[in-house]
Amino acid sequence: LDTPVTGSNGDPVVPTWEYLLEYDNNGTSEATGVVIQDPLPPGLDFVSADGGGVFAGGTVTWNLGAVAPGASATLRIRVRPSTAGEYENGATLTSNELPPVTSNMTSTQVGSLAVTKHTTTPAGAVSGNATTATYVITIQNQNPAMAATNVTIADLLPAGFTCASTT
């Protein structure tokens, strides 16, 4: 995870990701009335879009207007899956000059990780001059059909706590 995630004990850890939509006008004339639409598949929750993308009715739409010859850009959509599974996504570009152009379809599989944290230290336990606590952090892949890779768990300790050891 690139950003901290907080939640209740046992909540699933759900990633967000970006779809990148690249377009260019490799012609010699200006393209007019250019619109890019990306209908999000069911189960993907919209988080954000850049470049003036507007989300309505399950579709992100960019009304680009005129695109000069040689102009190009990359548009981004950030989404979050509501459940584990496979999601297919594609976009369509339309203009006044050409028939609609459909992007390649992108397929993304999402697992479902669950993280729990609990203490095994009885209430009021004291060791020497300091109170110590032992915490157990467990991660479980709830979608065994898909391996979770490059997973990092970080436990941010509250003020006054220090880490004595990890295993």
Side-chain angles (χ1 to χ4, degrees), residues 30 32 47-48 58 64 67 69 76 78 86 91 100 116 135 141 151 156-158 162 166:
E30 180 177 80
T32 61
V47 175
S48 65
L64 302 176
V67 177
R76 290 174 168 72
R78 183 170 281 289
E86 182 173 350
T116 59
Y135 290 94
N141 184 353
V151 176
L156 303 177
L157 299 174
T162 58
T166 61

Side-chain angles (χ1 to χ4, degrees), residues 72-150:
S72 64
T74 300
L75 304 171
R76 290 174 168 72
I77 304 172
R78 183 170 281 289
V79 295
R80 178 178 294 118
S82 57
T83 61
E86 182 173 350
Y87 298 93
E88 288 194 7
N89 183 260
T92 301
L93 181 144
T94 58
S95 72
N96 294 332
E97 292 76 25
L98 297 172
V101 177
T102 302
S103 72
N104 60 323
M105 294 298 287
T106 299
S107 180
T108 306
Q109 289 203 359
V110 178
S112 180
L113 300 177
V115 177
T116 59
K117 176 182 175 181
H118 68 277
T119 183
T120 59
T121 306
V126 176
S127 172
N129 292 333
T131 301
T132 61
T134 301
Y135 290 94
V136 177
I137 299 172
T138 305
I139 185 167
Q140 178 187 18
N141 184 353
Q142 296 178 326
N143 184 4
M146 190 170 70
T149 60
N150 300 319

